[in-house]
Each structure stands twice: as structure tokens, then as C-alpha cells.
Amino acid sequence: GYVMGSGDEVPAVLRQLGAEVTLLDDDALETADLARYQTLVVGVRAFNTRPRLAFVQDRLLDWVRSGGTLVVQYQVSRGLVTDRLGPLPLKLGRGRVTDETAEVVLLAPTDPVFSTPNRIGAADFAGWVQERGLYFGESWDERVTPLLAIADPGEKPESGALLVAREGRGRFVYTGLAFFRQLPAGVPGGIRLFANLLAREDGRD
């Protein structure tokens, strides 16, 4: 299930890769049987542009606790329709890494995000376009795990680009990585990592 954001080309790319993608409008988010979805993806800036997301967030988080994977792509830190993006406290900042070749350090290399179904390594961060990411997490609950550290040359490393929290039987992901640029550009490593975010951690379909 995909919650469209602003100027979002990711659903079309996912379909080209063979994924079955259903776009969820506001009515569907309020009334549809979410149990039919293994993963829900929130597009860029959706929490800035779709006010009714504030009223369905409890429903989405209950679905996560029941075993779903909710992947939230970057949201602008100002003008959010709700400050509760996930099941645990998370505050967004304005962190950004504009150098698309900036070194990426895996902070939790054994996390399933880096192994299921694709083994992710340094080569997957080569060939990225325009930037690494933007609007990273600034602070978060201690039960949220930061997975990456990235920095522009001469800057302090940012560790809020890819955050994961397990809640109940499910998983919540916030990512400021610029997947909205990498997937339409056909960047292999970006596609492989995004596929891992969507997958079940046990590797099953």
C-alpha cells in the first residue's frame, strides 16, 4: 500500500520492478482492511500535505503492532500535520547531506535491513545522484535504532538518515535518504536497499 506524497515517482518504479502497488487515498486509509498489506509506504512530504493522515495515524500504528512494516520517507520538519510519525517519539530536523559521494557508515551492520533479501555494503552507496538525503531525524526515543552515519566533507556525521523501531510484531522505518531520486534514476544500490526496507525481516514474501 502506498500513501502518495508530493511529486512522487516511487510507486511507478516499484511497479516496474514487479511489485503490486495499491495507492491509498484518504478514504482507504480510514476504512480499508489494512491487514491485506504486508508493507505500507508513506511518500515524501505526505505528512505535510495530507491533513487527514493526522486522524488515521492511530490506525496505522495499530497495524504496525499487528505485524506490518511502515516505511515513512522524508518529511519536512516544519508544517507536519502530526508530530507522531511513528510508534515511538521521533523529532525531525533539517539535517542534509548534499554530497552524493559522502561516505556512509553502517552503524548496525547486522540489522536485517542490510541483509534481507539483499546483502548491503559500500558498493550499494556508489553512483547515487544529487544528494544522500535530507530532513533526517534529529532526536528519537532510545528504543529507535539509527542504522547509518553520513556527513558532508568537513561536517559532523548525521545519524538520523535511516531509523528503525520494532513495535509489537511489526517494524517502523523513517528514512531521509533520497530514494525519491535514486529509484527513478535507476541507481542499483538505492533500489536494493529500498527493497530491503519493504521486505519481511524473515525473508518471506
Side-chain angles (χ1 to χ4, degrees), residues 152-172:
D152 278 322
E155 299 292 331
K156 180 180 177 181
E158 295 270 359
S159 59
L162 182 57
L163 302 169
V164 172
R166 275 77 185 181
E167 182 74 3
R169 295 188 288 114
R171 177 173 68 175
F172 169 80

PDB file of all heavy atoms in Angstrom, residues 152-172:
ATOM      1  N   ASP A 152      28.583  15.367   5.055  1.00  0.00           N
ATOM      2  CA  ASP A 152      29.277  16.109   4.013  1.00  0.00           C
ATOM      3  C   ASP A 152      30.717  16.338   4.459  1.00  0.00           C
ATOM      4  O   ASP A 152      30.999  16.355   5.668  1.00  0.00           O
ATOM      5  CB  ASP A 152      28.585  17.453   3.773  1.00  0.00           C
ATOM      6  CG  ASP A 152      27.381  17.345   2.851  1.00  0.00           C
ATOM      7  OD1 ASP A 152      27.446  16.553   1.884  1.00  0.00           O
ATOM      8  OD2 ASP A 152      26.386  18.049   3.086  1.00  0.00           O
ATOM      9  N   PRO A 153      31.650  16.525   3.523  1.00  0.00           N
ATOM     10  CA  PRO A 153      33.046  16.749   3.891  1.00  0.00           C
ATOM     11  C   PRO A 153      33.197  17.899   4.885  1.00  0.00           C
ATOM     12  O   PRO A 153      32.641  18.981   4.689  1.00  0.00           O
ATOM     13  CB  PRO A 153      33.710  17.092   2.555  1.00  0.00           C
ATOM     14  CG  PRO A 153      32.876  16.379   1.538  1.00  0.00           C
ATOM     15  CD  PRO A 153      31.467  16.469   2.058  1.00  0.00           C
ATOM     16  N   GLY A 154      33.917  17.625   5.976  1.00  0.00           N
ATOM     17  CA  GLY A 154      34.170  18.648   6.981  1.00  0.00           C
ATOM     18  C   GLY A 154      33.046  18.868   7.964  1.00  0.00           C
ATOM     19  O   GLY A 154      33.173  19.697   8.863  1.00  0.00           O
ATOM     20  N   GLU A 155      31.932  18.133   7.825  1.00  0.00           N
ATOM     21  CA  GLU A 155      30.781  18.298   8.710  1.00  0.00           C
ATOM     22  C   GLU A 155      30.685  17.144   9.701  1.00  0.00           C
ATOM     23  O   GLU A 155      31.243  16.068   9.486  1.00  0.00           O
ATOM     24  CB  GLU A 155      29.487  18.380   7.893  1.00  0.00           C
ATOM     25  CG  GLU A 155      29.418  19.542   6.927  1.00  0.00           C
ATOM     26  CD  GLU A 155      29.339  20.884   7.617  1.00  0.00           C
ATOM     27  OE1 GLU A 155      28.807  20.930   8.747  1.00  0.00           O
ATOM     28  OE2 GLU A 155      29.804  21.877   7.027  1.00  0.00           O
ATOM     29  N   LYS A 156      29.950  17.381  10.784  1.00  0.00           N
ATOM     30  CA  LYS A 156      29.712  16.343  11.777  1.00  0.00           C
ATOM     31  C   LYS A 156      28.791  15.279  11.191  1.00  0.00           C
ATOM     32  O   LYS A 156      27.808  15.596  10.524  1.00  0.00           O
ATOM     33  CB  LYS A 156      29.063  16.974  13.019  1.00  0.00           C
ATOM     34  CG  LYS A 156      28.768  15.993  14.141  1.00  0.00           C
ATOM     35  CD  LYS A 156      28.121  16.720  15.325  1.00  0.00           C
ATOM     36  CE  LYS A 156      27.755  15.727  16.427  1.00  0.00           C
ATOM     37  NZ  LYS A 156      27.102  16.404  17.573  1.00  0.00           N
ATOM     38  N   PRO A 157      29.072  13.996  11.440  1.00  0.00           N
ATOM     39  CA  PRO A 157      28.212  12.937  10.891  1.00  0.00           C
ATOM     40  C   PRO A 157      26.770  13.040  11.372  1.00  0.00           C
ATOM     41  O   PRO A 157      26.501  13.365  12.524  1.00  0.00           O
ATOM     42  CB  PRO A 157      28.871  11.655  11.410  1.00  0.00           C
ATOM     43  CG  PRO A 157      30.286  12.024  11.666  1.00  0.00           C
ATOM     44  CD  PRO A 157      30.243  13.453  12.139  1.00  0.00           C
ATOM     45  N   GLU A 158      25.854  12.761  10.448  1.00  0.00           N
ATOM     46  CA  GLU A 158      24.426  12.697  10.745  1.00  0.00           C
ATOM     47  C   GLU A 158      24.059  11.230  10.933  1.00  0.00           C
ATOM     48  O   GLU A 158      24.428  10.379  10.113  1.00  0.00           O
ATOM     49  CB  GLU A 158      23.612  13.274   9.586  1.00  0.00           C
ATOM     50  CG  GLU A 158      23.821  14.751   9.327  1.00  0.00           C
ATOM     51  CD  GLU A 158      22.860  15.618  10.111  1.00  0.00           C
ATOM     52  OE1 GLU A 158      22.028  15.046  10.845  1.00  0.00           O
ATOM     53  OE2 GLU A 158      22.925  16.842   9.959  1.00  0.00           O
ATOM     54  N   SER A 159      23.305  10.916  11.997  1.00  0.00           N
ATOM     55  CA  SER A 159      22.921   9.519  12.229  1.00  0.00           C
ATOM     56  C   SER A 159      21.414   9.291  12.159  1.00  0.00           C
ATOM     57  O   SER A 159      20.924   8.237  12.538  1.00  0.00           O
ATOM     58  CB  SER A 159      23.453   9.036  13.585  1.00  0.00           C
ATOM     59  OG  SER A 159      22.954   9.836  14.635  1.00  0.00           O
ATOM     60  N   GLY A 160      20.681  10.287  11.646  1.00  0.00           N
ATOM     61  CA  GLY A 160      19.231  10.149  11.588  1.00  0.00           C
ATOM     62  C   GLY A 160      18.671   9.874  10.214  1.00  0.00           C
ATOM     63  O   GLY A 160      17.464  10.023   9.982  1.00  0.00           O
ATOM     64  N   ALA A 161      19.525   9.421   9.273  1.00  0.00           N
ATOM     65  CA  ALA A 161      19.063   9.219   7.899  1.00  0.00           C
ATOM     66  C   ALA A 161      18.240   7.959   7.730  1.00  0.00           C
ATOM     67  O   ALA A 161      17.417   7.862   6.812  1.00  0.00           O
ATOM     68  CB  ALA A 161      20.261   9.174   6.953  1.00  0.00           C
ATOM     69  N   LEU A 162      18.469   6.971   8.592  1.00  0.00           N
ATOM     70  CA  LEU A 162      17.727   5.712   8.491  1.00  0.00           C
ATOM     71  C   LEU A 162      17.520   5.178   9.902  1.00  0.00           C
ATOM     72  O   LEU A 162      18.463   4.741  10.554  1.00  0.00           O
ATOM     73  CB  LEU A 162      18.495   4.702   7.636  1.00  0.00           C
ATOM     74  CG  LEU A 162      17.836   3.347   7.388  1.00  0.00           C
ATOM     75  CD1 LEU A 162      16.460   3.519   6.749  1.00  0.00           C
ATOM     76  CD2 LEU A 162      18.717   2.472   6.508  1.00  0.00           C
ATOM     77  N   LEU A 163      16.274   5.252  10.369  1.00  0.00           N
ATOM     78  CA  LEU A 163      15.921   4.889  11.740  1.00  0.00           C
ATOM     79  C   LEU A 163      14.896   3.756  11.719  1.00  0.00           C
ATOM     80  O   LEU A 163      13.956   3.783  10.923  1.00  0.00           O
ATOM     81  CB  LEU A 163      15.327   6.095  12.474  1.00  0.00           C
ATOM     82  CG  LEU A 163      16.221   7.341  12.552  1.00  0.00           C
ATOM     83  CD1 LEU A 163      15.422   8.534  13.065  1.00  0.00           C
ATOM     84  CD2 LEU A 163      17.427   7.089  13.445  1.00  0.00           C
ATOM     85  N   VAL A 164      15.083   2.799  12.600  1.00  0.00           N
ATOM     86  CA  VAL A 164      14.188   1.647  12.661  1.00  0.00           C
ATOM     87  C   VAL A 164      13.728   1.426  14.098  1.00  0.00           C
ATOM     88  O   VAL A 164      14.518   1.545  15.042  1.00  0.00           O
ATOM     89  CB  VAL A 164      14.883   0.360  12.142  1.00  0.00           C
ATOM     90  CG1 VAL A 164      14.015  -0.860  12.386  1.00  0.00           C
ATOM     91  CG2 VAL A 164      15.194   0.487  10.669  1.00  0.00           C
ATOM     92  N   ALA A 165      12.449   1.126  14.254  1.00  0.00           N
ATOM     93  CA  ALA A 165      11.905   0.771  15.569  1.00  0.00           C
ATOM     94  C   ALA A 165      11.044  -0.474  15.414  1.00  0.00           C
ATOM     95  O   ALA A 165      10.224  -0.561  14.489  1.00  0.00           O
ATOM     96  CB  ALA A 165      11.065   1.916  16.139  1.00  0.00           C
ATOM     97  N   ARG A 166      11.240  -1.437  16.276  1.00  0.00           N
ATOM     98  CA  ARG A 166      10.358  -2.598  16.335  1.00  0.00           C
ATOM     99  C   ARG A 166       9.264  -2.301  17.353  1.00  0.00           C
ATOM    100  O   ARG A 166       9.549  -1.814  18.450  1.00  0.00           O
ATOM    101  CB  ARG A 166      11.113  -3.859  16.742  1.00  0.00           C
ATOM    102  CG  ARG A 166      11.793  -4.573  15.580  1.00  0.00           C
ATOM    103  CD  ARG A 166      13.050  -3.894  15.137  1.00  0.00           C
ATOM    104  NE  ARG A 166      13.626  -4.521  13.945  1.00  0.00           N
ATOM    105  CZ  ARG A 166      14.754  -4.115  13.380  1.00  0.00           C
ATOM    106  NH1 ARG A 166      15.419  -3.096  13.876  1.00  0.00           N
ATOM    107  NH2 ARG A 166      15.205  -4.722  12.300  1.00  0.00           N
ATOM    108  N   GLU A 167       8.044  -2.580  16.967  1.00  0.00           N
ATOM    109  CA  GLU A 167       6.899  -2.307  17.843  1.00  0.00           C
ATOM    110  C   GLU A 167       5.912  -3.448  17.692  1.00  0.00           C
ATOM    111  O   GLU A 167       5.421  -3.711  16.588  1.00  0.00           O
ATOM    112  CB  GLU A 167       6.236  -0.981  17.464  1.00  0.00           C
ATOM    113  CG  GLU A 167       5.065  -0.584  18.339  1.00  0.00           C
ATOM    114  CD  GLU A 167       5.483  -0.102  19.719  1.00  0.00           C
ATOM    115  OE1 GLU A 167       6.691  -0.022  20.002  1.00  0.00           O
ATOM    116  OE2 GLU A 167       4.584   0.216  20.523  1.00  0.00           O
ATOM    117  N   GLY A 168       5.629  -4.145  18.800  1.00  0.00           N
ATOM    118  CA  GLY A 168       4.779  -5.316  18.703  1.00  0.00           C
ATOM    119  C   GLY A 168       5.426  -6.332  17.778  1.00  0.00           C
ATOM    120  O   GLY A 168       6.601  -6.668  17.910  1.00  0.00           O
ATOM    121  N   ARG A 169       4.673  -6.791  16.780  1.00  0.00           N
ATOM    122  CA  ARG A 169       5.196  -7.758  15.814  1.00  0.00           C
ATOM    123  C   ARG A 169       5.658  -7.082  14.524  1.00  0.00           C
ATOM    124  O   ARG A 169       6.034  -7.760  13.564  1.00  0.00           O
ATOM    125  CB  ARG A 169       4.135  -8.811  15.510  1.00  0.00           C
ATOM    126  CG  ARG A 169       3.786  -9.672  16.714  1.00  0.00           C
ATOM    127  CD  ARG A 169       2.881 -10.842  16.366  1.00  0.00           C
ATOM    128  NE  ARG A 169       1.511 -10.409  16.062  1.00  0.00           N
ATOM    129  CZ  ARG A 169       0.929 -10.515  14.862  1.00  0.00           C
ATOM    130  NH1 ARG A 169       1.588 -11.031  13.852  1.00  0.00           N
ATOM    131  NH2 ARG A 169      -0.316 -10.110  14.685  1.00  0.00           N
ATOM    132  N   GLY A 170       5.640  -5.740  14.502  1.00  0.00           N
ATOM    133  CA  GLY A 170       5.948  -5.039  13.264  1.00  0.00           C
ATOM    134  C   GLY A 170       7.178  -4.162  13.339  1.00  0.00           C
ATOM    135  O   GLY A 170       7.943  -4.186  14.307  1.00  0.00           O
ATOM    136  N   ARG A 171       7.368  -3.381  12.274  1.00  0.00           N
ATOM    137  CA  ARG A 171       8.561  -2.557  12.131  1.00  0.00           C
ATOM    138  C   ARG A 171       8.175  -1.196  11.562  1.00  0.00           C
ATOM    139  O   ARG A 171       7.388  -1.097  10.616  1.00  0.00           O
ATOM    140  CB  ARG A 171       9.557  -3.250  11.197  1.00  0.00           C
ATOM    141  CG  ARG A 171      10.814  -2.445  10.906  1.00  0.00           C
ATOM    142  CD  ARG A 171      11.832  -3.256  10.118  1.00  0.00           C
ATOM    143  NE  ARG A 171      11.388  -3.562   8.756  1.00  0.00           N
ATOM    144  CZ  ARG A 171      12.147  -4.166   7.847  1.00  0.00           C
ATOM    145  NH1 ARG A 171      13.351  -4.575   8.155  1.00  0.00           N
ATOM    146  NH2 ARG A 171      11.671  -4.392   6.639  1.00  0.00           N
ATOM    147  N   PHE A 172       8.746  -0.149  12.154  1.00  0.00           N
ATOM    148  CA  PHE A 172       8.583   1.213  11.656  1.00  0.00           C
ATOM    149  C   PHE A 172       9.934   1.711  11.162  1.00  0.00           C
ATOM    150  O   PHE A 172      10.948   1.524  11.836  1.00  0.00           O
ATOM    151  CB  PHE A 172       8.056   2.138  12.756  1.00  0.00           C
ATOM    152  CG  PHE A 172       8.122   3.603  12.393  1.00  0.00           C
ATOM    153  CD1 PHE A 172       7.160   4.175  11.581  1.00  0.00           C
ATOM    154  CD2 PHE A 172       9.166   4.402  12.849  1.00  0.00           C
ATOM    155  CE1 PHE A 172       7.234   5.515  11.221  1.00  0.00           C
ATOM    156  CE2 PHE A 172       9.238   5.745  12.513  1.00  0.00           C
ATOM    157  CZ  PHE A 172       8.269   6.301  11.693  1.00  0.00           C
TER     158      PHE A 172
END
